[in-house]
Amino acid sequence: MAPITLDRFILENEHAHPGATGELTQLLMRFGLAGKRIARELALAGLRKLHGATRSANPSGEKQKKLDLVANEILLETFDYGGLVSVAASEEMDRPFVYPARADGGRYAVLFDPMDGSSNIDVNGTLGSIFSVLARSEKKKTDLLRSGREQVAAGYILFGPATLLVYTCGEGVHLFTLEPSIGEFLLTVRSVRMPDRGRGYAVNEGRSDGWSKADRAFVDWLKEQDPATGRPYSTRYSGSMVGDFHRILLEGGIYLYPADALSGKPRGKLRVLYECHPLAFVAEQAGGRGSTGRENALDVVPDALHARIPFAIGSPSEVETYERFVGSLSS
Ligand code: FBP
């Protein structure tokens, strides 16, 4: 049987929607193209002296890596034709970018973290690009401060030993693997299901002094000896949320980035619109969940483009337990 390419899969799903215009189909296919271009830049970065930082910082005050900007440019270019997208927002840009030609035409807005796990860039570690798609707001095209439930599509491209693309349009989560010799993403798993519970947790414990009592108590609970509840869990923290989340999608478990009062992240590190919302949409479509500890991350309506939240994501069992700790131990 012919391999099912990303384009064929998306087209076949479009046919399941009589009213579909084909624009979302084209848009999703473009993320495949962007993923291939970024994978190539990553593979050649060391040879092309593209490792290392620039002198500039992103809107969150983090030093920008050369590849943060290369990936950002590739994603912006990817939607710069065809009239699909009117506005794009990124972790690397202060304000949304409005595509001049289609300011009033493009039906969609795209939001992305072009290079997630930037601290892994220079050491050949796992990296990812995270994306979220919204229908353009009829009120104001740059109105992006919306609930995660308004996403029409979301996903990520994982750059590891293989390059993978994982996405959802609200009808399950599908996983594709880049076959480099033909340059196509091929369907690997249709309708991925996250296990109800796992054995691994991902958190930067080096920061625990800055955490709340509830966050520390939850992580201590994961480490207690109790085989009956599958504890202790194993630590699996790679420095890339996309890499950690992908493991959890397949094996279960939980990723956590709590608020950290000591390192200037009283609201956590992760940005709502282009990190938390898209992964929470994928998680929920696979049977898992994203949470702030107090509410479902998809229900958060941010007050700023680069707003952050404390973030937990993973199997329902671990996320529910985490919320119980936050509920019972937070003042
Ligand atoms: P970037 O998008 O800037 O890479 O930030 C997100 C992230 O790198 C996550 O992928 C990762 O889990 C976390 O930050 C690592 O942060 P820390 O170094 O504080 O543990």
Side-chain angles (χ1 to χ4, degrees), residues 58 60 62-63 68 91-92 113-120 126-128 130 202-205 207 237-244 255-257 260 263 265 269-271 274-275:
N58 70 16
S60 307
E62 296 153 348
K63 222 169 197 351
D68 285 327
E91 179 181 311
E92 305 307 333
D113 174 0
M115 198 46 51
D116 172 73
S118 305
S119 64
N120 284 353
T126 303
L127 292 162
I130 311 173
V203 68
N204 184 342
E205 279 191 75
R207 304 243 190 243
Y237 190 70
S238 71
S240 158
M241 175 172 64
V242 169
D244 295 336
Y255 169 99
L256 198 59
Y257 206 107
D260 178 350
S263 69
K265 299 188 185 86
K269 176 182 183 177
L270 299 167
R271 281 60 51 141
Y274 43 77
E275 291 177 313

Side-chain angles (χ1 to χ4, degrees), residues 230 236 261:
R236 291 284 182 272

Side-chain angles (χ1 to χ4, degrees), residues 153-171:
Y156 55 87
I157 301 144
L158 175 64
F159 305 103
T163 297
L164 307 179
L165 187 148
V166 173
Y167 85 97
T168 184
C169 280
E171 291 168 351

